Amino acid sequence: MMANVGVLGAGSWGTALSILLYENGHQVSVWSIDKAEVEMLTQKREHETKLPGVKLPEDMVITNDLKEAVTDRDFLVLAVPSPFTRATAKSMSPYIKEGQIIVDVAKGIEETTLMTLSQQIEEEIPQADVAVLSGPSHAEEVGRKLPTTCVIGAKTRKTAEYLQSMFISRVFRVYTSPDILGIELGGSLKNVIALAAGIADGLGYGDNTKAALITRGIAEIARLGVKMGGKIETFTGLTGIGDLIVTCASVHSRNRKAGFLIGQGRTMEQAMEEVKMVVEGVYSAKAAAKLAKEYGVSMPIVDQVNAVLFEGKNPAEAVDELMLREHKSEHASLPWPGEA
Ligand SMILES: NC(=O)c1ccc[n+]([C@@H]2O[C@H](COP(=O)([O-])OP(=O)(O)OC[C@H]3O[C@@H](n4cnc5c(N)ncnc54)[C@H](O)[C@@H]3O)[C@@H](O)[C@H]2O)c1
């Protein structure tokens, strides 16, 4: 079944998903707020800085006109980075009809309100049916058609299965889930742990350290996520441990890259300048620390990342503090024989 799709945001991920949807046989138009970007994509048929080497089809419409991009679409894909999600949703709202399906594919938590992206979109566009797509999926690899898996989270099975059938392909396998909140928390909180993994790499630490950060990191994420209403299964799945593994291990992750530079001695500002892209983990780090406090959950890695980013703490000292914390059991909920 062919659909008419509007993709909002033409960075790495918006571009890669537009091509995927086009190749699945859908009619796709792509909107960008940036006139120069629209010009470049229209002329060159390639995003030269964000997804080099991946060609856009000649008949894909690229536009700077938001109304045109969102009107009369079967579904919309919101692919702008998280700091711009609310503002973009607000501008779209007047053109959105009742029940319009909008899939958000960005990852982040708003620092001031502590809202997830789907919650922000619902606040700005209450008439929309908001879903999310997330998982271990670097745009560079999806662009090269390397086998990838993702999860669609939606409010109804009907919407989830509809979107699954739209996105799924021979190289892009999509699962469904009713746990939108868990998916969004996993996707945004893993960026904070990725900064920590980058810092560890920058300090010259090894695979043991990386594995420790990944497994203890997902323990932190799940502790908070479950308390907030997310499901434990989600944190053990593709959008939890899966996305955390890819982000902490990959050469493509800008969060890991920024952390690496900080581990090598740069300040947070210098690292952001060098990476030259939105490092969402920096925003999510503050939000995660606030959420941990609000929900009374211990998140030691998140706390140390915040201290390094915002209080100028020496990264090696932060690692020392993690290692020398009070002695703990790995799973506090597991009972010992003979104890109640
Ligand atoms: N890149 C990936 O591999 C990947 C994979 C999965 C999820 N994501 C998520 O998708 C989101 C987008 O990531 P990306 O890699 O495409 O980012 P990006 O930095 O490549 O995107 C930048 C794009 O956002 C748009 N933009 C810039 N300023 C804007 C503004 N003020 N208002 C509206 N739009 C604006 C422009 O089209 C610009 O090219 C992020 O939340 C990211 O976490 C990315």
Side-chain angles (χ1 to χ4, degrees):
M1 185 177 46
M2 201 269 283
N4 193 339
V5 190
V7 177
L8 295 314
S12 318
W13 196 215
T15 306
L17 286 177
S18 302
I19 296 168
L20 171 91
L21 288 165
Y22 178 93
E23 290 182 349
N24 279 0
H26 307 305
Q27 197 176 315
V28 180
S29 64
V30 186
W31 169 86
S32 168
I33 197 167
D34 180 353
K35 284 199 168 122
E37 186 168 61
V38 169
E39 184 88 342
M40 181 229 321
L41 292 172
T42 310
Q43 304 289 328
K44 306 271 165 77
R45 294 281 141 190
E46 181 178 337
H47 203 310
E48 293 177 315
T49 50
K50 303 238 161 95
L51 202 64
V54 180
K55 283 287 175 198
L56 271 76
E58 286 300 324
D59 57 343
M60 189 185 278
V61 177
I62 325 280
T63 178
N64 183 234
D65 181 336
L66 188 60
K67 184 177 178 196
E68 179 197 331
V70 303
T71 307
D72 293 330
R73 306 290 165 188
D74 294 310
F75 67 94
L76 297 171
V77 179
L78 191 46
V80 299
S82 55
F84 315 126
T85 302
R86 184 184 284 278
T88 308
K90 201 185 178 87
S91 320
M92 289 159 62
S93 191
Y95 316 121
I96 302 295
K97 61 178 192 287
E98 190 66 38
Q100 171 73 63
I101 297 175
I102 301 178
V103 200
D104 190 72
V105 300
K107 295 168 181 172
I109 298 172
E110 197 169 40
E111 197 191 310
T112 46
T113 63
L114 303 181
M115 287 166 92
T116 65
L117 299 179
S118 75
Q119 289 166 348
Q120 293 168 47
I121 299 165
E122 272 169 359
E123 196 167 78
E124 299 298 336
I125 320 178
Q127 69 275 32
D129 180 6
V130 184
V132 296
L133 172 113
S134 191
S137 52
H138 284 304
E140 294 83 351
E141 298 185 5
V142 171
R144 287 168 51 211
K145 303 186 187 1
L146 305 185
T148 299
T149 52
C150 270
V151 179
I152 292 272
K155 279 184 285 203
T156 61
R157 179 196 286 271
K158 185 167 171 242
T159 300
E161 291 182 352
Y162 167 72
L163 289 170
Q164 178 183 43
S165 69
M166 296 290 117
F167 279 92
I168 205 159
S169 82
R170 203 170 59 80
V171 287
F172 196 78
R173 183 165 173 78
V174 183
Y175 295 83
T176 58
S177 164
D179 186 18
I180 298 180
L181 179 64
I183 291 172
E184 290 194 284
L185 291 174
S188 40
L189 296 173
K190 58 98 194 182
N191 284 333
V192 188
I193 308 299
L195 279 164
I199 291 172
D201 283 342
L203 285 166
Y205 296 164
D207 297 343
N208 299 351
T209 322
K210 181 77 64 69
L213 284 169
I214 291 174
T215 38
R216 295 310 302 166
I218 199 67
E220 277 184 31
I221 292 174
R223 215 157 37 224
L224 175 67
V226 168
K227 199 123 190 219
M228 289 177 68
K231 303 289 177 238
I232 188 68
E233 292 86 345
T234 305
F235 300 106
T236 64
L238 289 169
T239 61
I241 189 74
D243 206 358
L244 184 60
I245 290 172
V246 85
T247 314
C248 289
S250 166
V251 291
H252 302 300
S253 163
R254 64 189 75 162
N255 290 283
R256 200 198 70 85
K257 262 183 227 164
F260 182 82
L261 295 169
I262 294 167
Q264 288 204 319
R266 308 298 202 281
T267 62
M268 191 257 282
E269 289 77 17
Q270 289 165 337
M272 299 275 271
E273 180 61 32
E274 265 186 64
V275 173
K276 285 195 179 63
M277 288 200 203
V278 180
V279 180
E280 287 170 316
V282 171
Y283 302 90
S284 299
K286 275 195 179 168
K290 284 189 195 168
L291 282 168
K293 205 162 170 202
E294 191 177 318
Y295 284 87
V297 171
S298 148
M299 298 189 85
I301 304 173
V302 166
D303 290 342
Q304 293 300 337
V305 169
N306 273 283
V308 170
L309 292 180
F310 304 112
E311 292 157 27
K313 187 170 193 171
N314 180 308
E317 257 172 51
V319 176
D320 263 357
E321 268 184 47
L322 285 171
M323 296 300 284
L324 299 171
R325 285 184 319 128
E326 60 181 302
H327 301 182
K328 296 264 190 187
S329 143
E330 188 184 16
H331 301 288
S333 58
L334 289 186
W336 292 98
E339 290 183 18

